[in-house]
Amino acid sequence: MSGPAQPTAFFAALGSTAPRRSLTDGWHCRVAGPARLWSTPAAESSVPENTVVLSKVCRDTRGTVPLAEIDEQLRRSPQDLVRLQPPFGAVHADGAGVTMVADSMGFQQLFHTDPEGSGAPVMSSSALLAGQALHAPLDRVAVAVQSLLGWQLGQRTLFEGVRKLEPGAVGRLGDAGLQITPAAPARRAPITLDRAVSEAATLLRASLNAVLDDHPDAVLQLTGGMDSRLLLSAVPENRRRGLRVMTLAVPGSADVAVARALSERYGMRHDVHGLADIQQIEPESAWARCVAESSALDAMADPVALSAQRIAEQAFEQGVRISGLGGEVARGFYYLGRVRERGYSRADVDRLASWRMFVNDAVETDLLAPDFAAWARDTAQQEVYAAMRDGGPEWFRAADELYLRHRMQRWAGATDTAVADRRIVINPMLDAGFLDIAARLRPADKARSRFLARLQMELDPELGRVPLDNRPAPAVYADPPRWQSVLDAVSLGNRVARKALQRVRHGNRPPAGGDVMAAKVVQHWRDRPEIVDPLRSVDLIDPGWLDRVLGRSVEPRPSSVALLTNLIVALEPDRQLR
């Protein structure tokens, strides 16, 4: 299909960060869902300079970065802005074109066409809008990957010819076409564990003090885990009394009990909310909510999970949140077994994908058309292997890059971008400086939470001696006893057993509230079976399986409901974005 007639850029403008100057003659603006459409102006038009910040997070380690500084750097050196904490994105328009930039992690989701592709180039804050502008078909590799992972790898989107802006890159669209300037190659000298602990402690203390200086009413998302414990520990004890903290009550989790005890210890104001309201949602409303979240996620993460989260969040004041997201990067999320430097093969990666990555979010095999199903699994495994190879030849370092540059960018980043219109989420451990420290450590120093536990003891040894949720205190991980290897072996055995049981049962783990939300969506499909008709227009989904779902002989997994919702939205973006 032919693309748009002229270079085009679509950018969402959030309510509190709208353009400081109006678009004028020569710029065409229309509303398309939550986004505005900007088209490159005619050469004879006189257009004032415009800068739009696409995220509500505009800060680095030192604190809030003024809009005037962002505007200046966008015009003179946009690459300097990638240092800002995720999610950050901004756009600058002048008489010659449009520049877009995101953070060093690529958390802010921005998109563009292939600079070498045919047709008119596009830049966008919405892959759905870009795909609609190009009349782009679905990317079969992307569907294959998402059917197993629930999210995307690298910079691929669900649409052929539409790519995500890679981390740290700058896009420029003008009369000469589209240019993408990649991030400068990282130069990472190794760092000792002692030095890493000292530098990370200094960084987190500075960052948390700056957040509370800028936002005294900010709310710390406090769980029973280590990551939020670290952020609390970075807050000086004299600033903890009256600090606002919140915890989401999830059945079977010890988060609330641990967070309540910490709140009482330091005199913090603790709010707890649960997921009970999901039961009250009508099926039609559940479907409408999932469609809206799929659109916000550009159909590339789980709208069922996000819908359930949004309902629970209704009782929470939105405001400014301090999140512990990012600690996983510093403890080797994908590490298994003894950690020593080694190479790896395709078979190693296939085992990682099958045992650790595909189990939770894969759809039922029967959902996919038979010919596509076998091809999809092999293709998804090949894509995971390619992503690992991009991370280098050493197994554990490549696993770190897989988690950071793929899972975090495309899953967590998409979700953070989707909720950015409601609240400010500050993730101090996604600061470029903190990530650099973690990347320079030996994998053995990160394994079994050693680095994070040592960091905890540096920040606040008293808190470091308080047990975590159903786990020992961080002090145990910082200075493991001689018999710790036995505990590690037992822990590994339990994790492998749980994953094996999931595989035997052909089941996955639904997100909190996801099973209830998914059931209500399916009930609405059964009341309105024409909703799934777009899925019959492609040869990716088994129509017989759809019939069995509608006929009540199959109850699909929440992950399957998520994928089908995303595909319906991707196949009919014009209807969903109106």
Side-chain angles (χ1 to χ4, degrees):
M1 302 293 287
S2 61
Q6 60 177 342
T8 306
F10 304 83
F11 291 102
L14 300 177
S16 64
T17 53
R20 289 174 291 142
R21 290 178 290 274
S22 299
L23 301 177
T24 58
D25 294 342
W27 291 83
H28 309 287
C29 180
R30 70 175 174 86
V31 174
R36 287 189 171 126
L37 164 67
W38 292 359
S39 301
T40 301
E44 65 274 17
S45 300
S46 175
V47 182
E49 293 176 345
N50 291 274
T51 292
V52 179
V53 176
L54 302 172
S55 62
K56 292 186 176 183
V57 178
C58 303
R59 61 186 305 108
D60 57 18
T61 308
R62 301 165 299 172
T64 300
V65 178
L67 289 178
E69 182 178 335
I70 293 173
D71 178 74
E72 176 71 15
Q73 291 188 344
L74 271 169
R75 289 187 287 114
R76 298 185 181 276
S77 55
Q79 201 85 46
D80 292 343
L81 290 171
V82 303
R83 77 181 193 282
L84 269 63
Q85 291 180 354
F88 171 78
V91 178
H92 174 75
D94 55 43
V98 182
T99 298
M100 69 176 180
V101 64
D103 53 81
S104 63
M105 277 195 68
F107 240 51
Q108 183 72 35
Q109 309 290 290
L110 299 174
F111 306 93
H112 60 83
T113 49
D114 183 349
E116 305 300 323
S118 59
V122 170
M123 292 198 313
S124 176
S125 61
S126 167
L128 290 172
L129 287 172
Q132 181 186 22
L134 294 171
H135 305 287
L138 292 177
D139 184 322
R140 296 174 71 86
V141 173
V143 176
V145 168
Q146 199 161 320
S147 73
L148 273 298
L149 281 179
W151 40 275
Q152 288 298 320
L153 292 167
Q155 315 315 318
R156 193 183 294 276
T157 75
L158 277 178
F159 302 98
E160 287 186 9
V162 179
R163 306 285 292 177
K164 183 188 172 297
L165 184 68
E166 66 184 50
V170 175
R172 175 70 177 176
L173 177 63
D175 293 335
L178 177 64
Q179 295 179 314
I180 304 297
T181 303
R187 297 180 179 178
R188 291 170 173 164
I191 189 171
T192 66
L193 179 58
D194 287 343
R195 183 178 173 188
V197 167
S198 176
E199 291 186 6
T202 299
L203 185 150
L204 287 183
R205 286 184 177 121
S207 183
L208 268 295
N209 271 305
V211 170
L212 294 177
D213 287 344
D214 293 339
H215 306 286
D217 290 331
V219 179
L220 172 63
Q221 296 181 174
L222 186 62
T223 69
M226 186 177 289
D227 299 340
S228 63
R229 177 83 58 88
L230 282 167
L231 297 185
L232 175 60
S233 299
V235 175
E237 191 165 343
N238 62 359
R239 301 191 76 164
R240 294 177 194 171
R241 179 163 295 279
L243 179 69
R244 302 179 64 196
V245 298
M246 58 162 278
T247 307
L248 182 63
V250 177
S253 170
D255 284 343
V256 172
V258 176
R260 180 178 293 120
L262 295 179
S263 299
E264 292 173 354
R265 176 188 292 241
Y266 294 108
M268 299 184 294
R269 293 179 287 166
H270 188 208
D271 287 330
V272 178
H273 294 281
L275 298 167
D277 288 343
I278 293 179
Q279 296 285 357
Q280 309 305 316
I281 299 297
E282 293 296 326
E284 183 176 8
S285 176
W287 171 240
R289 287 170 180 269
C290 286
V291 167
E293 301 305 353
S294 176
S295 298
L297 293 164
D298 281 301
M300 288 183 287
D302 190 339
V304 175
L306 186 55
S307 298
Q309 176 190 324
R310 292 267 206 189
I311 294 170
E313 288 277 353
Q314 289 177 351
F316 286 70
E317 183 180 338
Q318 296 306 300
V320 178
R321 300 277 183 84
I322 306 171
S323 169
L325 187 66
E328 303 92 341
V329 174
R331 62 168 174 263
F333 185 81
Y334 286 139
Y335 292 2
L336 285 175
R338 180 184 173 191
V339 178
R340 65 191 190 283
E341 291 200 8
R342 68 177 182 87
Y344 57 94
S345 66
R346 165 73 188 264
D348 292 322
V349 179
D350 286 353
R351 282 193 291 272
L352 173 67
S354 296
W355 282 90
R356 195 70 190 274
M357 302 176 70
F358 294 165
V359 175
N360 287 334
D361 297 299
V363 303
E364 295 101 320
T365 303
D366 292 349
L367 175 154
L368 302 175
D371 290 342
F372 181 66
W375 180 87
R377 187 171 188 86
D378 182 69
T379 298
Q381 289 177 322
Q382 178 60 40
E383 289 294 300
V384 174
Y385 179 65
M388 283 284 287
R389 297 307 301 180
D390 283 346
E394 198 281 316
W395 172 251
F396 293 102
R397 289 186 174 87
D400 285 339
E401 289 295 299
L402 178 66
Y403 184 80
L404 177 64
R405 300 301 176 192
H406 296 272
R407 188 175 192 268
M408 291 292 283
Q409 180 197 179
R410 301 308 306 273
W411 169 69
T415 303
D416 260 19
T417 298
V419 303
D421 63 321
R422 305 279 183 93
R423 59 180 176 268
I424 298 174
V425 180
I426 298 173
N427 299 287
M429 285 188 283
L430 294 182
D431 183 280
F434 187 89
L435 294 177
D436 180 68
I437 292 169
R440 293 161 58 198
L441 276 166
R442 296 184 311 143
D445 289 331
K446 289 184 283 189
R448 303 174 187 87
S449 298
R450 186 183 181 202
F451 164 59
L452 291 185
R454 288 276 303 273
L455 177 58
Q456 170 65 64
M457 301 308 290
E458 175 73 15
L459 289 169
D460 189 326
E462 180 184 344
L463 270 175
R465 289 187 284 270
V466 177
L468 300 168
D469 53 348
N470 302 317
R471 290 175 291 165
V476 174
Y477 297 95
D479 186 19
R482 287 193 300 271
W483 40 265
Q484 185 63 38
S485 60
V486 177
L487 291 182
D488 291 340
V490 171
S491 176
L492 175 60
N494 288 338
R495 288 158 64 190
V496 171
R498 286 195 299 270
K499 292 295 182 182
L501 185 60
Q502 280 184 270
R503 288 167 59 85
V504 169
R505 291 176 174 175
H506 304 290
N508 53 10
R509 184 179 61 210
D515 50 352
V516 176
M517 182 65 69
K520 290 180 177 293
V521 167
V522 172
Q523 182 179 337
H524 186 61
W525 289 349
R526 289 165 176 165
D527 293 339
R528 297 276 307 281
E530 69 275 9
I531 289 174
V532 303
D533 284 349
L535 300 172
R536 303 180 189 275
S537 67
V538 293
D539 61 351
L540 309 176
I541 308 301
D542 184 349
W545 185 88
L546 286 177
D547 291 337
R548 291 193 292 276
V549 170
L550 297 177
R552 303 178 186 274
S553 62
V554 170
E555 297 297 333
R557 300 173 181 173
S559 56
S560 297
V561 176
L563 178 69
L564 296 181
T565 299
N566 283 331
L567 291 180
I568 291 170
V569 169
L571 288 165
E572 295 196 332
D574 189 46
R575 175 182 297 181
Q576 311 305 339
L577 292 170
R578 280 203 296 265

